[in-house]
């Protein structure tokens, strides 16, 4: 693989990455020299105190590795709050957010609830990272409705929000070879190989369980050397989400909706023959590159979302498929332009940054088309405007 030219980490960050590499190498040794890529990705992102999301590195914003929609504009969270006001007429007045990052979305959501008189009883945040939870607690200290959870509860009724959550869930890698499909796991190169002075992480093939290919339409028609991802962890999350919402409806008699916002495609686009290197991507200090073995623990590792697989998992769990559309259509139909209009254009210093952020959120050339919104639920009807640009038929 081509050597990367990226900013050097601070000495303490490099030491943490080396400690995580040793942990990963030990795990490989304990499993006969090979682990699934999903296990490697899990350790790289979530190993206690060392993984990307569980360590102390700054992840979000101008000083981090990437920027999310809530970090760009308070209009994003405010728009979700105004949509929630409609949904709360059919559900309990509760929110559960997964992957809350810095807490910015929650703060903007709750601030809009205060401003617009939207009643909200509880705002749950399911957070695995101690470092992120500490940042969230500091940012949200003025909102007593917020409660933190370390795992998904058994039952819930209300609105679930997951912004850029599914893309951070570990994926497995598969490749089509002359002998058929194989799974790409993580192994070690011998010390001294390719001039290396110590063990080096690399991909290694292993026979593939045919069940892993169920997500890929017409897998046998794809060309040789085709590499892609399958999403067992994310589909498992969707099954668990469905169980939680179904149990919440049984207990409360009220419905729920889950809004999942991420970058991705329907299956027929995701597994297109020309997308032959998959979608796996890494983010390090606002640089994007394809090497997941570079400084584990210091970079984000993501894959695009197969929204067809997510929708099928929700349906299999007994939920309804309520909407699938672009982020642009979702935000515009949910009233984001009306929220911007509350700010006078004559107040240029306040108006222009928000207008520019809105443009990035909805422009087809920016986030508006790349990001999609999947809404699933039970016992809930969405406003008619949200159905105007529905793309469920593409799933």
């Amino acid at each position: 693989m081509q050597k990367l030219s990226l900013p050097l980490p601070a000495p303490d960050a490099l030491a943490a990455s080396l400690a995580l590499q040793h942990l990963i190498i030990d795990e490989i040794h304990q499993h006969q020299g090979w682990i699934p890529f999903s296990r490697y990705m899990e350790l790289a992102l979530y190993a206690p105190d060392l993984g990307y999301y569980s360590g102390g590195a700054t992840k979000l914003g101008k000083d981090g590795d990437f920027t999310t929609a809530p970090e760009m504009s308070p209009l994003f969270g405010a728009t979700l709050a105004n949509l929630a006001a409609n949904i709360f007429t059919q559900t309990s007045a509760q929110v559960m957010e997964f992957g809350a990052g810095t807490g910015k979305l929650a703060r903007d959501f709750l601030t809009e609830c205060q401003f617009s008189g939207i009643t909200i009883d509880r705002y749950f945040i399911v957070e695995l990272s101690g470092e992120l939870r500490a940042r969230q607690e500091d940012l949200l200290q003025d909102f007593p409705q917020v409660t933190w959870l370390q795992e998904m509860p058994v039952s819930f009724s209300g609105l679930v929000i997951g912004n850029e959550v599914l893309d951070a869930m570990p994926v497995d890698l598969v490749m089509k070879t002359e002998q058929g499909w194989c799974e790409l796991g993580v192994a070690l190169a011998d010390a001294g190989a390719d001039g290396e002075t110590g063990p080096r992480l690399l991909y290694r093939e292993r026979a593939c369980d045919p069940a892993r290919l169920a997500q890929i339409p017409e897998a046998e028609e794809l060309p040789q050397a085709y590499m892609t991802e399958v999403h067992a962890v994310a589909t498992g999350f969707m099954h668990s989400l469905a169980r939680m919402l179904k149990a919440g409806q049984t207990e409360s008699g009220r419905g729920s909706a889950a809004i999942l916002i991420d970058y991705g495609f329907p299956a027929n686009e995701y597994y297109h023959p020309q997308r032959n290197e998959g979608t796996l991507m890494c983010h390090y200090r606002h640089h994007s590159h394809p090497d997941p073995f570079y400084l584990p623990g210091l970079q984000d590792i993501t894959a695009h979302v197969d929204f067809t697989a997510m929708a099928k998992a929700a349906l299999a769990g007994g939920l309804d498929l309520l909407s699938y559309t672009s982020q642009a259509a979702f935000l515009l139909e949910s009233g984001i332009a009306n929220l911007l209009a509350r700010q006078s254009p004559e107040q240029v210093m306040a108006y222009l940054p928000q207008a520019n952020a809105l443009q990035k959120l909805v422009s087809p050339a920016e986030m508006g088309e790349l990001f999609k919104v999947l809404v699933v639920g039970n016992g809930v009807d969405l406003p008619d405007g949200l159905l105007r640009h529905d793309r469920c038929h593409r799933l």
Side-chain angles (χ1 to χ4, degrees):
M1 183 172 289
Q2 182 179 2
K3 205 157 185 72
L4 298 172
S5 178
L6 295 172
L8 294 175
D12 58 341
L14 181 59
S17 179
L18 290 172
L20 178 56
Q21 289 179 54
H22 288 308
L23 182 121
I24 292 168
I25 289 169
D26 287 345
E27 174 126 350
I28 291 172
H29 285 312
Q30 291 168 18
H31 291 83
Q32 293 75 53
W34 188 95
I35 59 174
F37 183 81
S38 56
R39 177 56 179 162
Y40 168 79
M41 187 170 169
E42 180 184 2
L43 291 170
L45 297 181
Y46 303 108
D49 301 322
L50 296 173
Y52 180 77
Y53 285 108
S54 51
T58 298
K59 284 87 179 169
L60 304 171
K62 63 181 178 64
D63 297 321
D65 301 311
F66 56 91
T67 299
T68 63
E71 301 294 321
M72 293 169 57
S73 171
L75 296 174
F76 187 84
T79 302
L80 290 175
N82 279 277
L83 176 59
N86 180 291
I87 291 175
F88 286 161
T89 64
Q90 307 167 75
T91 73
S92 301
Q94 301 184 122
V95 172
M96 181 175 295
E97 184 181 358
F98 290 89
T102 63
K104 180 72 162 51
L105 190 157
R107 186 182 70 175
D108 296 338
F109 186 106
L110 291 166
T111 299
E112 178 63 22
C113 287
Q114 285 184 341
F115 179 83
S116 297
I118 301 168
T119 299
I120 177 169
D121 298 329
R122 303 288 290 278
Y123 195 109
F124 297 99
I125 294 177
V126 181
E127 182 57 71
L128 303 177
S129 166
E131 182 261 339
L132 286 176
R133 173 170 173 170
R135 293 179 69 181
Q136 294 160 12
E137 288 176 339
D138 182 60
L139 192 67
L140 298 169
Q141 57 185 311
D142 295 331
F143 298 99
Q145 306 99 319
V146 181
T147 300
W148 279 266
L149 305 173
Q150 289 190 305
E151 60 185 4
M152 185 184 295
V154 173
S155 64
F156 174 79
S157 169
L159 175 64
V160 173
I161 299 173
N163 182 59
E164 294 198 53
V165 171
L166 295 172
D167 69 87
M169 293 187 178
V171 296
D172 288 299
L173 299 181
V174 294
M175 174 181 280
K176 191 174 183 184
T177 69
E178 290 183 3
Q179 292 73 39
W181 285 92
C182 70
E183 181 176 356
L184 289 180
V186 180
L188 300 172
D190 295 332
D194 300 325
E196 298 287 340
T197 58
R200 179 171 58 87
L201 300 170
L202 47 64
Y203 291 125
R204 184 160 292 163
E205 299 173 6
R206 178 172 287 192
C208 180
D209 180 352
R212 289 209 184 281
L213 307 177
Q215 189 175 325
I216 306 175
E218 301 180 354
E220 295 311 315
E221 302 301 317
L222 292 170
Q224 284 188 25
Y226 189 94
M227 184 176 77
T228 190
E229 309 88 24
V230 291
H231 303 74
V233 174
T235 53
F237 169 82
M238 295 299 295
H239 284 294
S240 298
L241 178 68
R243 283 194 296 272
M244 179 183 73
L245 299 186
K246 293 292 287 183
Q249 186 178 36
T250 299
E251 288 185 11
S252 68
R254 311 212 74 190
S256 295
I259 299 174
L260 301 162
I261 306 167
D262 230 311
Y263 44 92
F265 311 99
N268 65 334
E269 296 177 28
Y270 197 109
Y271 300 108
H272 191 280
Q274 293 181 355
R275 205 182 302 281
N276 59 357
E277 296 183 350
T279 71
L280 196 76
M281 189 57 61
C282 305
H283 304 279
Y284 175 70
R285 294 171 70 174
H286 291 279
H287 293 263
S288 297
H289 67 89
D291 184 4
F293 304 130
Y294 180 77
L295 295 178
L298 301 187
Q299 65 171 358
D300 193 19
I301 306 173
T302 74
H304 282 53
V305 176
D306 174 358
F307 279 107
T308 299
M310 301 307 111
K312 285 182 175 179
L315 290 169
L319 297 182
D320 299 320
L321 179 55
L322 301 178
S323 176
Y324 171 67
T325 191
S326 68
Q327 176 173 287
F330 177 82
L331 291 175
L332 290 170
E333 292 294 348
S334 297
I336 193 169
N338 295 333
L339 296 180
L340 175 64
R342 296 194 309 210
Q343 178 70 56
S344 171
E346 295 178 1
Q347 296 176 311
V348 176
M349 297 300 290
Y351 181 82
L352 275 184
Q354 293 309 315
N356 289 336
L358 173 59
Q359 172 70 10
K360 290 181 179 179
L361 291 174
V362 303
S363 168
E366 300 271 358
M367 298 174 71
E369 185 60 36
L370 175 63
F371 279 73
K372 310 298 193 305
V373 183
L374 177 69
V375 188
V376 297
N378 53 332
V380 168
D381 293 317
L382 296 180
D384 290 341
L386 277 180
L387 305 179
R388 208 180 338 260
H389 305 282
D390 186 68
R391 301 180 182 180
C392 285
H393 61 282
R394 296 190 186 180
L395 295 170

